[in-house]
Amino acid sequence: MRVVLDSNVFISVLISPGSPPDGIQRAWRKKRFVLVTSDEQLTELRRASRYIASDPDDNYLLAMADAGEADFLVTGDARRLLRLRKVGRTRILAPTPFLKLVKG
């Protein structure tokens, strides 16, 4: 399974040990899914991890999910991305339901 993680999920791993995003990170390390990312996201993570700020323009995540043929996009963005539920072949889930899915 191929998965895009919103940058806010990565940031949550840093600030919330034991949280669902932390469990997702552990599942990735156990190779339960393939992570889809991009240079643009890595740049955002470097910037955001210094300030713990979110970028209001997450269109690149949708493009990355499409280009990477992702099965899932995992996000905590309830204001916008989670409301979409699905874009193309990519299901959009919050960290907790996705963690349940990868744990089986």
Side-chain angles (χ1 to χ4, degrees):
M1 138 180 28
R2 297 172 60 79
V3 177
V4 170
L5 298 178
D6 192 339
S7 298
N8 64 38
V9 175
F10 286 108
I11 297 299
S12 294
V13 170
L14 297 173
I15 61 176
S16 301
S19 65
D22 185 51
I24 291 169
Q25 179 260 146
R26 283 184 268 131
W28 170 70
R29 286 180 182 243
K30 291 179 182 176
K31 302 184 187 306
R32 301 289 306 258
F33 62 90
V34 174
L35 182 64
V36 177
T37 191
S38 66
D39 288 337
E40 185 175 3
Q41 184 175 42
L42 296 175
T43 298
E44 178 187 26
L45 283 168
R46 282 186 208 99
R47 179 187 54 77
S49 65
R50 286 191 290 269
Y51 305 109
I52 312 297
S54 62
D55 185 348
D57 185 7
D58 289 331
N59 288 335
Y60 80 94
L61 289 168
L62 299 172
M64 188 167 56
D66 183 48
E69 298 180 350
D71 300 297
F72 296 93
L73 188 162
V74 182
T75 182
D77 184 354
R79 180 180 49 97
R80 179 171 173 255
L81 292 176
L82 283 170
R83 288 183 181 182
L84 296 175
R85 296 189 180 163
K86 187 172 184 178
V87 173
R89 65 174 273 155
T90 304
R91 286 181 53 202
I92 302 172
L93 295 178
T96 299
F98 179 74
L99 181 58
K100 289 177 184 175
L101 187 127
V102 295
K103 280 188 167 181

